[in-house]
Amino acid sequence: GGRGIEKPLAAANGLGSVALATRALSEVGAIGQWERQQVELFCVSNLIHFVLETTEEFVVLDFHFASSGGGIRAVMEMIHLLLQSPRWDNASLVRAKQAYRAHYSSLGKSLERATLNNALTAMVGGSCCFLDPVPEELDAVTLEGAAEMLMAQMVPHNLEVNIVGDFDESELDANMLKLLGTLPEKSVDWEKWVDHSIHFVRGSLEQNNTKFFLADSDERACAYIIGPAPYRWQDISRGEGTEAAAGGTNVASLFDANDALQADKRQEHPLFMSVSLSLMAEIINSRLFTTVRDSLGLTYDVSFELQLLDRMEKSWYSVSVTSTPAKIDDALDASLHVLRELSTRRVSQQELERARRTLLARHETDLKDNSYLIGLLTHLQCETVPRKDLQCLQELTTVYNAATVADIYEAYNRMGLSDQEIYTCTGVSGENMEEQDAEAERQRQLEAAAAISEASQNGNLFEAIRIALDRQSKQ
């Protein structure tokens, strides 16, 4: 589900259709025979707040409500009506398109958003669910196409319901059976709704490393480094991309990290790659902050993040760094150096222990948050995420405690860190950016002319022609 099943082109059910459908359905606000004002009054009376949104992989209905005083039944009634009798009207789709157009038009006015978008575009190419839909794609979407794309996902056998809170189990079971269990079955041809293929583009160094200039009264700069990362549910015990080993893993045996056989058993665990990536990210963040900010003083803030997907076997990492225009290039180079130096300056046991303590302490604190618990439960019942099961909840701390330095490098060595796999974009804002850009262009022209002249003097006519043609193609 999610935006991943959008057709990768401008069409009635093409890119942006699921995003527009969720926004349009929210804009309508009416459900079944009830008008928007009645639905709003019903939500206020029953202390219900809900949001309908989509990600690249799933459509999410997020409800917050009081579990007492009939709150559970009220929410189940809303879900029943929303799935069985949604309201669609063209005016809501028009408003949704206007909102996305406004969002797109503001892209070039935000230094951070434009910089990240340029790097992502270089990585995935043009048409992809990871990017915001462009006006041409928005215009091509129709109400019928958008509604079809969304409602094909919101069918009873494709639902996963997770509830966290202080509630009466018998009341919950009775209401779910009566209101969700009685939804009519809808047949869906799943062969029509498959994820569009996503490939990371390997362009030239110039295409992979771009710059963005924004005319603004404030002089500031930011940069992004992104690249491919391992799939979080990847089973490396049977080779990349294979299914999980049957029968599970003996958790007690995970702690004997000195035996190669036990290392293989750790790798069979569904959480192995996810935990290894989390520990790696914590260590990289610590090194980035210590080196780029504290030691070199090149940045205000720098961070490493992993964009890990659950259903699609595509993931990537990103490094964001902010600085002044004069220091941003050095900050970018220093951040990239820190990323790559894990292969030469190996992770120490002390770094691993510090990262482990930090993540386990954060886990213990977050267990008091309902949103975090929902995140842990999500996809346990999902057939498209087959490796996530109950042992992922029961054995999370055990897998963290069993992790070794070698496990971190199992994740690190699967990251794309070569020049062809890394995509960067540097964004700079300030006054007279156009003049500065023109001066930079003149400098590039002089350098190209000098290169052509040198090649000609050396008798290398073909090299001179190649440089001239290459220069012409970039103009």
Side-chain angles (χ1 to χ4, degrees), residues 465-475:
I465 294 173
R466 186 195 65 78
I467 295 174
L469 291 174
D470 185 54
R471 178 66 192 166
Q472 184 178 9
S473 66
K474 294 175 182 177
Q475 289 178 346

Coordinates of all heavy atoms in Angstrom, one line a residue, residues 465-475:
I465 N 38.6 18.7 -28.1 CA 37.2 18.6 -28.6 C 36.3 18.1 -27.5 O 35.2 18.5 -27.3 CB 37.2 17.8 -29.9 CG1 37.9 18.5 -31.0 CG2 35.7 17.5 -30.3 CD1 38.1 17.6 -32.3
R466 N 36.8 17.0 -26.8 CA 35.9 16.4 -25.8 C 35.6 17.4 -24.7 O 34.4 17.5 -24.2 CB 36.6 15.2 -25.1 CG 35.8 14.4 -24.2 CD 36.6 13.5 -23.3 NE 37.5 14.3 -22.4 CZ 37.1 14.8 -21.3 NH1 35.9 14.8 -20.9 NH2 38.0 15.5 -20.6
I467 N 36.6 18.2 -24.3 CA 36.3 19.2 -23.2 C 35.3 20.3 -23.7 O 34.4 20.7 -23.0 CB 37.7 19.9 -22.8 CG1 38.6 18.8 -22.1 CG2 37.4 21.0 -21.8 CD1 40.0 19.4 -21.8
A468 N 35.5 20.7 -24.9 CA 34.6 21.7 -25.5 C 33.2 21.2 -25.6 O 32.2 21.9 -25.2 CB 35.1 22.2 -26.8
L469 N 33.0 19.9 -26.0 CA 31.6 19.4 -26.1 C 31.0 19.2 -24.8 O 29.8 19.4 -24.6 CB 31.7 18.0 -26.9 CG 32.0 18.1 -28.4 CD1 32.2 16.7 -29.0 CD2 30.9 18.9 -29.1
D470 N 31.9 18.7 -23.8 CA 31.4 18.5 -22.5 C 30.9 19.8 -21.9 O 29.9 19.9 -21.2 CB 32.5 17.9 -21.6 CG 31.9 17.5 -20.2 OD1 30.9 16.8 -20.1 OD2 32.6 17.9 -19.2
R471 N 31.7 20.9 -22.1 CA 31.3 22.2 -21.6 C 30.0 22.7 -22.3 O 29.1 23.3 -21.6 CB 32.5 23.2 -21.9 CG 32.2 24.6 -21.5 CD 32.0 24.7 -20.0 NE 31.5 26.0 -19.6 CZ 31.1 26.3 -18.4 NH1 31.0 25.4 -17.5 NH2 30.6 27.5 -18.1
Q472 N 29.8 22.4 -23.6 CA 28.6 22.9 -24.3 C 27.4 22.1 -23.8 O 26.3 22.7 -23.6 CB 28.8 22.6 -25.8 CG 27.6 23.2 -26.6 CD 27.9 22.9 -28.1 OE1 28.8 22.3 -28.5 NE2 27.0 23.5 -28.9
S473 N 27.6 20.8 -23.4 CA 26.4 20.1 -23.0 C 25.9 20.5 -21.6 O 24.8 20.3 -21.2 CB 26.8 18.6 -22.9 OG 27.8 18.3 -22.0
K474 N 26.8 21.1 -20.8 CA 26.4 21.6 -19.5 C 25.8 23.0 -19.4 O 25.3 23.4 -18.4 CB 27.7 21.6 -18.6 CG 28.2 20.2 -18.3 CD 29.5 20.3 -17.5 CE 30.1 18.9 -17.3 NZ 31.4 19.0 -16.6
Q475 N 25.9 23.7 -20.6 CA 25.3 25.0 -20.6 C 23.8 25.0 -20.8 O 23.3 24.1 -21.3 CB 26.0 25.8 -21.7 CG 27.4 26.2 -21.4 CD 28.1 26.9 -22.5 OE1 27.6 27.0 -23.6 NE2 29.3 27.5 -22.2

